[in-house]
Amino acid sequence: MLVKSFGSAVFGIEATTITIEVNIDKGISFILVGLPDSAVKESQQRIKAALSNNGYKYPMKEVTVNMAPADIRKEGSTFDLPIGIGIMAASEQVKTESLGDYILLGELSLDGSLQPMKGVLPIALKAKEEGFKGIILPIENVREAAIVDGLDVYGATTINEVITFLNEGKGLEPTKIDIRQEFYNKLDEFAVDFRDVKGQQNIKRAFEIAASGGHNVVLIGPPGAGKSMLAKRLPTILPPMSINESLETTKIHSVAGKVKAGAGLITERPFRKPHHTISDVALVGGGSYPQPGEISLAHNGVLFLDELPEYKRSVLEVMRQPIEDRFVTISRAKFTVEYPAGFMLVAAMNPCPCGYYNHPDKDCVCAPGIVQNYLNKISGPLLDRIDLHVEVTPVSFDELAYHQPDEGSKDIRERVVQARLIQEERFKISEETHCNAQMSSKELRKYCDIDEACNAILKQAMDRLGLSARAYDRILKVARTIADLERAENITTAHISEAIQFRSLDREDWAK
């Protein structure tokens, strides 16, 4: 008897429906075809034990299982359930009337219980797109799949519950989630706030500008000045995620297995902080079976690189293309996957190996030339993609002891949102540009036209401070964002002057 059940496989962040064809004939053997990996090949032992331990008979005949399409490699143990149910249906122990209505997912333990899995959200989206009535999967993943509206999502704890449901239509209840209600309820939930930060008004201002224009930032300052603390609070002032951004972010985290059991939609912008010993593959993604890297997990959020010069040069260089293009392509001999990588880069670094170069109170003990060598670990092309260079100085005792509450993240975010709305209107005809930091050279000339007074200040700054040529465009982009924060139509000398302050590492006198 030939029976078909349905599973699903994830490639990149998209799912492909897999048809499990099970045929039972005379003989005693188990044949599994369709390009399965080792985990899929081992499914027979798990299925056989699970069925036996739940009082069902494993057919002692020739069982042939084909996983179509046969030219796509099948990976992982989540095909246990559709293969197991297919075998039960082919041996006439499970009714086949409703079998084609559902996608089945889950790894089987030897006692028949279902283990949680990853990549559920893209699978649920694909199931809805292809017209399946519902999806049956481990109970731990049910809230993640229930995000998809118009799809019946059933969470099961054992294969016995699945068999009872298919045979009798009872035992499992669909899980329903009001996605919009959940999204808006969690929109302003943050564990940290800019109100906690004492002093550092210039850094708060820099972060407000960065969040408003989507600019990348590098913080330079001594140990203990508050660089990491400030960076952690940047997501709290970024504009709230849209539902589409939230779904896209949840999709990536689902594929990577980073969605917590029982969790649903990710509504808070990601904040990823990889250690400086990270490898190239772990940062940008890859592996034998490519998985998203840190830059993709930071999509729609912030990637924070602490102690920037301590990262391997090769690790930093592989980020250059994703920063520019906002996606990363990982190619292998037989296939290519593409992951989104639209993140804001925030980097922090000491000004020198000892950490006290340019410190107001402590002397730097580094030998001559050491500071320049330390900064040279960061390449010019990478710095070229960072708009704001911000010097962080230690907070004084008076500022720490001052108990007057500072401005909170909510107030700053309101100004950021207003500035982003201006940019949204400005770039509404462009598919590639969404904020000032992404402006092309053509858009820069169109939207950052400055008068003679601004030109004079910019020329004087470049001559007197020794600013590099690459700083020119960056200053104009930042000045445009500052003007947007003030709702000014044109860039003025005040906007240009403030933007020039944020190009510390471009000065020729730095580290000399």
Side-chain angles (χ1 to χ4, degrees):
M1 183 177 179
L2 174 64
V3 166
K4 294 182 181 181
S5 61
F6 297 92
S8 193
V10 177
F11 300 94
I13 59 170
E14 300 299 330
T16 300
T17 299
I18 304 297
T19 304
I20 312 293
E21 299 175 327
V22 182
N23 188 68
I24 293 182
D25 211 337
K26 294 178 181 179
I28 300 177
S29 62
F30 180 82
I31 303 166
L32 179 61
V33 295
L35 216 58
D37 71 353
S38 297
V40 182
K41 290 176 182 176
E42 293 167 353
S43 63
Q44 184 199 11
Q45 285 71 34
R46 292 190 295 272
I47 293 167
K48 193 172 182 179
L51 293 177
S52 176
N53 289 327
N54 281 271
Y56 299 102
K57 292 180 180 179
Y58 183 85
M60 301 307 292
K61 295 184 178 182
E62 182 183 88
V63 179
T64 303
V65 179
N66 176 45
M67 307 178 76
D71 60 341
I72 296 175
R73 186 166 180 81
K74 320 303 185 303
E75 303 164 10
S77 54
T78 59
F79 295 104
D80 288 2
L81 185 61
I83 292 174
I85 294 296
I87 291 171
M88 291 288 288
S91 61
E92 300 182 347
Q93 298 178 73
V94 168
K95 294 179 180 178
T96 58
E97 286 82 356
S98 61
L99 194 56
D101 294 336
Y102 301 98
I103 292 285
L104 305 174
L105 303 166
E107 175 189 334
L108 286 172
S109 293
L110 300 187
D111 63 357
S113 60
L114 296 176
Q115 299 300 315
M117 53 176 289
K118 61 183 182 180
V120 168
L121 182 55
I123 291 172
L125 290 167
K126 189 68 175 179
K128 181 187 176 183
E129 180 187 323
E130 295 194 347
F132 283 92
K133 180 181 178 182
I135 181 171
I136 302 173
L137 73 171
I139 192 74
E140 291 88 348
N141 299 113
V142 73
R143 284 184 61 80
E144 185 182 335
I147 290 170
V148 181
D149 192 31
L151 186 74
D152 291 338
V153 178
Y154 297 91
T157 55
T158 67
I159 190 172
N160 192 36
E161 291 180 0
V162 179
I163 293 171
T164 302
F165 175 74
L166 292 171
N167 282 338
E168 302 174 19
K170 62 183 182 181
L172 299 180
E173 295 295 332
T175 300
K176 298 291 183 184
I177 291 179
D178 186 337
I179 180 175
R180 292 187 177 273
Q181 188 64 40
E182 180 160 303
F183 177 76
Y184 290 115
N185 283 347
K186 296 181 179 179
L187 209 53
D188 292 314
E189 287 185 5
F190 295 107
V192 294
D193 195 287
F194 265 101
R195 188 173 280 107
D196 308 329
V197 181
K198 299 291 184 182
Q200 304 289 25
Q201 297 304 323
N202 62 321
I203 319 299
K204 291 179 183 177
R205 172 65 175 171
F207 272 14
E208 183 178 338
I209 294 168
S212 298
H215 303 287
N216 298 324
V217 188
V218 60
L219 305 174
I220 315 111
K227 301 186 293 294
S228 299
M229 183 184 72
L230 287 156
K232 285 178 184 176
R233 284 157 175 76
L234 178 57
T236 68
I237 63 170
L238 288 172
M241 283 205 287
S242 66
I243 287 183
N244 286 337
E245 285 179 322
S246 188
L247 279 168
E248 189 177 31
T249 303
T250 308
K251 205 173 174 183
I252 297 167
H253 284 244
S254 175
V255 169
K258 301 294 184 183
V259 178
K260 296 177 182 177
L265 202 62
I266 294 175
T267 57
E268 190 175 328
R269 290 192 180 272
F271 180 84
R272 304 296 298 181
K273 185 183 177 183
H275 193 261
H276 64 257
T277 56
I278 193 171
S279 67
D280 306 17
V281 170
L283 187 71
V284 300
S288 302
Y289 308 124
Q291 289 288 299
E294 289 291 335
I295 62 172
S296 295
L297 293 172
H299 182 63
N300 291 324
V302 176
L303 178 69
F304 178 48
L305 302 184
D306 202 4
E307 305 297 344
L308 186 65
E310 302 301 329
Y311 286 80
K312 290 187 296 183
R313 193 178 183 95
S314 62
V315 171
L316 298 178
E317 294 308 296
V318 294
M319 281 202 309
R320 284 161 50 182
Q321 177 265 330
I323 289 175
E324 200 73 27
D325 297 338
R326 298 176 63 79
F327 67 86
V328 60
T329 303
I330 301 166
S331 300
R332 294 293 177 265
K334 294 184 179 180
F335 59 91
T336 299
V337 296
E338 188 176 286
Y339 291 116
F343 58 89
M344 267 185 69
L345 175 64
V346 178
M349 57 182 285
N350 295 332
C352 66
C354 81
Y356 295 107
Y357 180 79
N358 274 353
H359 193 282
D361 302 316
K362 297 184 181 180
D363 294 328
C364 175
V365 296
C366 298
I370 294 294
V371 178
Q372 188 62 54
N373 291 337
Y374 186 71
L375 296 177
N376 284 343
K377 291 182 180 180
I378 309 164
S379 70
L382 179 62
L383 276 180
D384 189 31
R385 289 161 172 80
I386 299 177
D387 296 347
L388 298 166
H389 306 164
V390 186
E391 293 184 62
V392 184
T393 54
V395 181
S396 67
F397 174 79
D398 290 339
E399 288 176 313
L400 285 172
Y402 187 61
H403 295 299
Q404 185 70 23
D406 287 334
E407 190 176 37
S409 296
K410 187 177 180 181
D411 300 320
I412 301 172
R413 181 195 255 190
E414 287 176 3
R415 296 195 294 270
V416 169
V417 168
Q418 289 303 317
R420 284 289 183 107
L421 288 174
I422 293 170
Q423 293 164 58
E424 198 176 291
E425 179 65 24
R426 177 181 297 140
F427 303 120
K428 64 182 178 182
I429 60 172
S430 173
E431 293 184 2
E432 300 296 326
T433 310
H434 305 286
C435 57
N436 290 334
Q438 299 167 9
M439 278 193 285
S440 63
S441 298
K442 182 180 179 181
E443 289 168 331
L444 197 70
R445 291 193 298 272
K446 181 177 180 181
Y447 299 118
C448 298
D449 190 29
I450 54 177
D451 59 22
E452 287 300 319
C454 292
N455 255 324
I457 288 178
L458 199 47
K459 181 179 185 304
Q460 186 180 23
M462 294 187 73
D463 292 341
R464 185 174 293 180
L465 299 177
L467 294 176
S468 66
R470 69 169 177 259
Y472 182 81
D473 286 357
R474 302 292 166 186
I475 289 171
L476 287 179
K477 289 180 180 180
V478 173
R480 179 66 266 173
T481 300
I482 296 169
D484 290 343
L485 277 167
E486 295 184 2
R487 304 186 188 185
E489 186 174 342
N490 298 313
I491 297 172
T492 67
T493 54
H495 304 145
I496 289 287
S497 299
E498 186 175 1
I500 289 169
Q501 297 176 33
F502 298 119
R503 298 303 301 181
S504 300
L505 295 181
D506 279 319
R507 295 203 308 262
E508 288 182 350
D509 64 341
W510 180 265
K512 285 192 176 181

